[in-house]
Amino acid sequence: MCDAEKKTTQKTPRVATGDRAILPEGAKTIPVYIMGKRYDVPETLTIMKAMEFAGFKFLRGAGCRGGICGACPTVYRMAGDYKLHFGLACQTVVEADMYLAQIPFFPANRASYKIDEIGAAAEAIHALYPELFRCVACNLCTKACPMDVDVLGYISALKQGNIKKAAELSFDCIQCGLCASRCMGEIPQYHIAQLARRVYGRYIQPRAEHLQTRVKEIESGKYDAMLQELSAMGREELEKCYVEREREPDLSTLGTWQPKETQYL
Amino acid sequence: MKISYYPGCTLKTKAGNLETAALASLLALGIEVEEIDRWNCCGAVFSLTADDLIHQVGPVRNLIRAKEQGANKLVTLCSMCYNTLARANLIMKNDPVKRDTINRFMDDEIDYAGEVEVVHLLTFLDQEVGWERIREMVKVPLEGLRIAPYYGCTLQRPADVGIEPFGSFSLMTRLFESLGATVMPFAAADKCCGSYQILNGEDGAQSTAATILKSAAEAGAEALATSCPLCEYNLGKQQGKLLENGLIGTTVPTYYFTQLLAIALGVAPESCRFDLNDGAALDLLKNKNCLVAA
Amino acid sequence: MTLTITDQTITLKSFEKLKELSGENVKLCMQCATCSGMCPMTAEMDHSPRKVMHLAQFGLFDKLSASNTFWKCASCHACTVKCPRGIDIAKVMEALRQQVLRKSKNYIEPSALPAERIVELPQIALVAGFRKLTS
């Protein structure tokens, strides 16, 4: 789009169009290309809504519509530019002259394993995914990630045997698979990262001891009597208990607060 | 003195002994080491095809990391990393067309034109520390240890990145002499260990490894020193198998050159990760009374 | 070895491709066999490096493509540094490998490597092997 056109676009007031088929007055449409064909869609819509506006119906490739399930990865390019862009259809607002392609699924090798048997060594991950060593550090994976994950960073970390770093770097991954779609080493990055996080959680991350203590207490029946007491209460009494409950003040110094009622501790 | 350092993947796991011993030695020599940030795999082998630039991107990315940190030199330990980084650097320095293409492709990085010099630790010790200084710093001379300096391929070949001319082994020789050891030159010091051919059926790599080990033993060496984790795997970790298959008659313990340096500088053996060597390696040093108490 | 040379066996296109990929002129080779003497893997090869150079000189690519020589090459450059004609023979071997690999044909299959082997091998062995032997 040329600069002059851009200015006129910005002068027009933006009107929320939702997914109404008949547009309110003042709503501006822009051209986008879905699978190569031009559609004029309201400029305020996300790619997903714009496609639905254009008449497409998502049977697959749409999930939470909240940017977290990873079902709607989209590749797009702006007319006149070589650069590929990547985003989630449910999160990315359409722009004029976008060429869109949905990649709801991309075939990627997924190894099967028993998490309780593989152990905490990075070599176990290497054995399940030897293709990891076909990485050439081209960084196309990182460029493709709609979540800004440092994909090359976690792949490098795994080659270096650093599961903790890989788990931390890949934490925001939503398993959309765009990284794998761009990989010249044919590596299923997101599956490997998921395995790294699982190994990290199962073997490396420190256990929360207080949680284990509490679980044991619950299992030993320590709180059964209290629960029965609450179960026996009527609604009004229960509400009163809730409203009058003692509560640790926000931002109180750790370990300084004690409830007045101590019989349940 | 402060140096920028590129470790390489294997040095973070199976060749942890190559790295920890080097870091302990440099500390003992009063040299501060800064590992570059966000480094990736060097690619291990240099791509030899004229039109293949994508495989140069990995090593160049590491050189860019060093440049970003303001380094003018990047020190490496692993022979393969050294070779791959140094050769990619030559392209960026000397080939304007390839440099331009690679820089354009890496539109997510700053431009690079060979500003960083890739240096192997042996060269660094020679040029920046000096053998005399090392000799003075030795606390436990490796007296009576007959060591064969093994270079393999990537330290010397090809000529434009070799740390010294093909056929010359003076850097390791002067290092071990400075440490008080007896250097045993041997005919197979620059023979290839079989390298990645270990993936392609064991026979080839086993026979090359056996040739090298036999040559070292025949020259009277008690042990062999290397700077490459793949050489160490083919020559060291595979020795049991070679012996079992009758390909060699005696074992020759293998060390990384950094481990011998560290031990001579009085570093505790625990800091040299001998647990990653064959047991015979530590025993030999014990027999030579070369170990300081932890 | 008898070489049958006809217009059917010689493929000029492949010859040009080899030159383009390797940047080397195999016709400079004088068949002294220093490469074969230097090569640590000769025993594993069906044709010695010298023979491969010979086949390449005559453009006999059908024969070359059936050879295991360039798959057994460890890229150690022992041949290159000693070639009296200054040919970078390692580059010729790489060009021959690449002509196959670029058609998406693997010489070894990473997924077929035994897990216990991968666990044991240093990372540089896997990276290097996959670079040289997979597409």
Side-chain angles (χ1 to χ4, degrees):
Chain A
M1 185 169 59
C2 73
D3 284 349
E5 254 183 281
K6 216 173 210 170
K7 270 173 202 156
T8 40
T9 315
Q10 277 160 3
K11 269 182 200 163
T12 321
R14 292 201 154 216
V15 176
T17 50
D19 44 10
R20 281 172 283 183
I22 300 164
L23 296 179
E25 205 178 326
K28 187 173 160 51
T29 60
I30 51 172
V32 297
Y33 297 82
I34 302 165
M35 285 187 274
K37 188 179 183 309
R38 178 179 162 148
Y39 296 86
D40 289 296
V41 299
E43 59 164 1
T44 54
L45 298 186
T46 60
I47 292 170
M48 185 172 281
K49 291 248 175 168
M51 286 182 71
E52 286 172 331
F53 181 87
F56 288 87
K57 188 176 173 188
F58 285 91
L59 298 175
R60 296 268 294 140
C64 71
R65 293 177 183 253
I68 208 68
C69 80
C72 63
T74 306
V75 182
Y76 62 94
R77 205 174 55 76
M78 307 308 292
D81 189 19
Y82 75 92
K83 193 102 188 134
L84 287 175
H85 301 272
F86 305 85
L88 297 172
C90 72
Q91 297 297 295
T92 314
V93 176
V94 285
E95 288 173 57
D97 298 319
M98 261 182 169
Y99 282 78
L100 297 162
Q102 304 306 113
I103 316 277
F105 173 79
F106 194 85
N109 178 32
R110 187 158 177 236
S112 60
Y113 49 84
K114 290 203 169 93
I115 194 71
D116 286 330
E117 287 169 15
I118 60 175
E123 284 76 9
I125 298 177
H126 296 169
L128 286 167
Y129 291 106
E131 59 267 42
L132 187 61
F133 296 99
R134 284 168 44 82
C135 170
V136 299
C138 67
N139 204 35
L140 293 185
C141 48
T142 311
K143 286 183 183 175
C145 181
M147 298 302 283
D148 285 334
V149 170
D150 181 2
V151 185
L152 173 58
Y154 76 65
I155 288 294
S156 294
L158 282 175
K159 284 171 91 173
Q160 295 156 18
N162 195 336
I163 295 174
K164 180 174 188 283
K165 190 174 173 187
E168 283 166 359
L169 283 177
S170 69
F171 188 79
D172 288 337
C173 172
I174 56 171
Q175 311 279 120
C176 75
L178 281 175
C179 46
S181 79
R182 295 290 288 159
C183 182
M184 69 168 281
E186 294 146 300
I187 302 167
Q189 292 91 336
Y190 64 114
H191 289 321
I192 309 182
Q194 186 178 54
L195 172 56
R197 290 192 302 277
R198 284 178 175 163
V199 170
Y200 181 65
R202 169 68 181 76
Y203 294 100
I204 303 167
Q205 200 171 34
R207 303 283 110 182
E209 277 176 32
H210 61 285
L211 179 66
Q212 285 171 335
T213 314
R214 183 55 51 92
V215 168
K216 266 185 206 145
E217 282 173 359
I218 292 167
E219 282 170 353
S220 72
K222 186 175 174 184
Y223 301 101
D224 288 359
M226 279 181 249
L227 200 60
Q228 276 159 15
E229 203 182 310
L230 288 170
S231 306
M233 280 180 193
R235 185 190 166 105
E236 263 175 42
E237 201 186 349
L238 198 60
E239 278 177 0
K240 187 168 172 277
C241 266
Y242 180 75
V243 171
E244 289 173 1
R245 77 195 188 279
E246 282 189 79
R247 193 167 162 275
E248 182 175 3
D250 291 336
L251 306 173
S252 70
T253 317
L254 201 69
T256 55
W257 180 80
Q258 282 286 315
K260 283 175 200 137
E261 177 58 75
T262 56
Q263 64 160 320
Y264 300 117
L265 290 180
Chain B
M1 200 190 318
K2 190 171 159 183
I3 58 169
S4 287
Y5 162 60
Y6 174 85
C9 305
T10 317
L11 280 73
K12 293 296 175 188
T13 57
K14 294 167 176 114
N17 40 355
L18 173 55
E19 178 180 59
T20 51
L23 296 179
S25 303
L26 289 165
L27 186 71
L29 291 167
I31 296 158
E32 202 185 319
V33 177
E34 189 183 25
E35 183 176 312
I36 59 166
D37 266 350
R38 293 166 54 220
W39 54 273
N40 50 258
C41 169
C42 67
V45 278
F46 182 77
S47 174
L48 296 164
T49 327
D51 62 353
D52 175 22
L53 298 183
I54 192 65
H55 289 98
Q56 311 303 349
V57 165
V60 170
R61 207 179 287 285
N62 290 316
L63 299 169
I64 290 173
R65 295 284 164 273
K67 181 181 167 178
E68 281 170 346
Q69 276 178 243
N72 54 6
K73 267 186 191 170
L74 184 63
V75 175
T76 61
L77 301 174
C78 164
S79 307
M80 288 182 99
C81 297
Y82 166 73
N83 191 280
T84 313
L85 292 172
R87 288 164 90 176
N89 204 27
L90 282 185
I91 292 181
M92 297 308 277
K93 215 172 177 172
N94 302 331
D95 191 325
V97 177
K98 287 183 180 174
R99 171 171 67 223
D100 186 53
T101 312
I102 291 171
N103 277 329
R104 272 172 205 271
F105 176 78
M106 298 172 84
D107 57 2
D108 47 342
E109 305 282 4
I110 57 168
D111 277 2
Y112 182 76
E115 293 92 338
V116 178
E117 189 192 350
V118 182
V119 182
H120 190 268
L121 182 65
L122 283 165
T123 310
F124 176 82
L125 293 174
D126 180 31
Q127 291 175 354
E128 308 284 333
V129 183
W131 307 118
E132 259 324 293
R133 168 97 181 117
I134 289 172
R135 197 186 298 270
E136 286 162 19
M137 297 287 287
V138 167
K139 292 204 174 97
V140 190
L142 307 178
E143 262 165 35
L145 180 71
R146 299 195 305 278
I147 186 90
Y150 175 68
Y151 275 52
C153 328
T154 45
L155 283 183
Q156 282 188 322
R157 301 191 289 267
D160 50 7
V161 295
I163 60 168
E164 59 186 296
F166 184 57
S168 156
F169 309 98
S170 76
L171 291 175
M172 271 204 209
T173 302
R174 281 184 287 165
L175 170 66
F176 298 136
E177 279 173 1
S178 310
L179 305 180
T182 310
V183 175
M184 309 304 289
F186 70 121
D190 52 15
K191 279 260 179 283
C192 173
C193 69
S195 187
Y196 57 81
Q197 286 294 339
I198 190 75
L199 263 73
N200 190 12
E202 289 185 356
D203 295 355
Q206 281 193 348
S207 73
T208 50
T211 309
I212 293 159
L213 293 167
K214 276 193 285 190
S215 165
E218 277 161 22
E222 293 168 297
L224 194 124
T226 176
S227 85
C228 175
L230 186 44
C231 295
E232 206 283 324
Y233 178 80
N234 283 335
L235 299 174
K237 305 265 183 299
Q238 295 291 315
Q239 258 188 52
K241 240 183 232 173
L242 297 178
L243 201 64
E244 211 174 279
N245 297 348
L247 290 165
I248 53 170
T250 54
T251 52
V252 185
T254 53
Y255 300 100
Y256 287 115
F257 73 102
T258 57
Q259 291 180 297
L260 296 175
L261 172 62
I263 288 299
L265 292 173
V267 171
E270 291 72 19
S271 303
C272 300
R273 297 288 313 269
F274 284 103
D275 57 306
L276 293 170
N277 296 62
D278 189 78
L282 191 61
D283 292 344
L284 179 63
L285 289 174
K286 247 179 229 164
N287 293 342
K288 301 279 174 185
N289 288 320
C290 291
L291 301 178
V292 293
Chain C
M1 180 169 59
T2 310
L3 299 179
T4 315
I5 301 165
T6 67
D7 57 357
Q8 300 298 306
T9 55
I10 296 177
T11 44
L12 281 177
K13 260 194 186 153
S14 302
F15 186 81
E16 278 157 24
K17 189 76 189 162
L18 183 67
K19 198 168 179 180
E20 185 189 306
L21 290 179
S22 68
E24 299 296 310
N25 180 5
V26 290
K27 293 203 168 157
L28 289 175
C29 169
M30 62 183 190
Q31 290 290 298
C32 69
T34 305
C35 47
S36 302
M38 293 302 291
C39 180
M41 303 299 288
T42 308
E44 298 292 311
M45 296 168 171
D46 47 13
H47 297 315
S48 69
R50 177 196 66 79
K51 279 188 191 164
V52 164
M53 294 299 281
H54 202 48
L55 293 170
Q57 285 181 319
F58 284 99
L60 297 168
F61 285 92
D62 281 350
K63 273 204 160 60
L64 269 182
S65 58
S67 165
N68 75 355
T69 302
F70 45 91
W71 299 117
K72 292 292 176 182
C73 161
S75 305
C76 78
H77 290 75
C79 49
T80 299
V81 292
K82 283 289 183 184
C83 177
R85 301 291 283 162
I87 306 169
D88 196 334
I89 300 158
K91 283 188 177 168
V92 176
M93 297 295 166
E94 179 104 330
L96 291 168
R97 278 192 293 271
Q98 282 298 324
Q99 291 196 50
V100 179
L101 296 177
R102 287 187 185 187
K103 290 176 183 152
S104 198
K105 282 182 192 150
N106 283 356
Y107 189 71
I108 60 164
E109 286 300 334
S111 52
L113 286 174
E116 56 275 20
R117 206 65 209 284
I118 297 169
V119 164
E120 190 187 278
L121 283 164
Q123 291 95 312
I124 43 175
L126 295 163
V127 174
F130 293 172
R131 286 266 169 116
K132 298 292 184 187
L133 306 170
T134 69
S135 71

